[in-house]
Amino acid sequence: MTRTAKILHLAALTAAATLYIISTSAAYAQSRANCGPRDAVVQRLAEGYGETRQSVGIGSNNAMVEVFASDDTGSWTILVTMPSGVSCLVASGQSFEQVAEALPAKGSDA
């Protein structure tokens, strides 16, 4: 392999590595932008979207999973709070409806 070819290969590898680092850093920064102290996140959901807590449960690793929604606008948000107190928005959307469906009868194929 000639010296010029080696330099071109090195330049290509450097460019690829740089693009990879930039793309993964941007994804990490985006995911961190959806997290913060629970009190601040809940206040933002209330003031910005009129959402209140509709349900709560404990998930894996003792994470608290909450659904917030607005009866007025139909917006909803799923919030996961880790034991450390850091809360992250994991999903959101529109057309929230509260339902209370009965379990199907035993032996039913439903």
Side-chain angles (χ1 to χ4, degrees):
M1 185 180 281
T2 68
R3 184 169 194 245
T4 305
K6 287 181 182 179
I7 292 172
L8 288 175
H9 280 102
L10 180 59
L13 286 173
T14 302
T18 302
L19 288 173
Y20 175 76
I21 290 169
I22 289 171
S23 67
T24 56
S25 296
Y28 177 74
Q30 177 66 28
S31 69
R32 296 298 300 161
N34 293 331
C35 299
R38 184 181 182 283
D39 291 342
V41 174
V42 170
Q43 182 177 356
R44 173 77 174 155
L45 292 174
E47 292 175 359
Y49 302 95
E51 295 181 4
T52 59
R53 186 166 65 175
Q54 304 293 315
S55 61
V56 62
I58 301 296
S60 62
N61 298 328
N62 291 322
M64 182 169 58
V65 179
E66 300 168 285
V67 175
F68 287 79
S70 169
D71 291 330
D72 294 335
T73 65
S75 70
W76 59 267
T77 303
I78 298 176
L79 182 69
V80 175
T81 303
M82 300 308 293
S84 66
V86 174
S87 295
C88 296
L89 304 174
V90 295
S92 63
Q94 295 295 321
S95 301
F96 179 81
E97 291 182 33
Q98 200 160 34
V99 296
E101 296 177 349
L103 288 173
K106 290 189 179 192
S108 168
D109 288 341

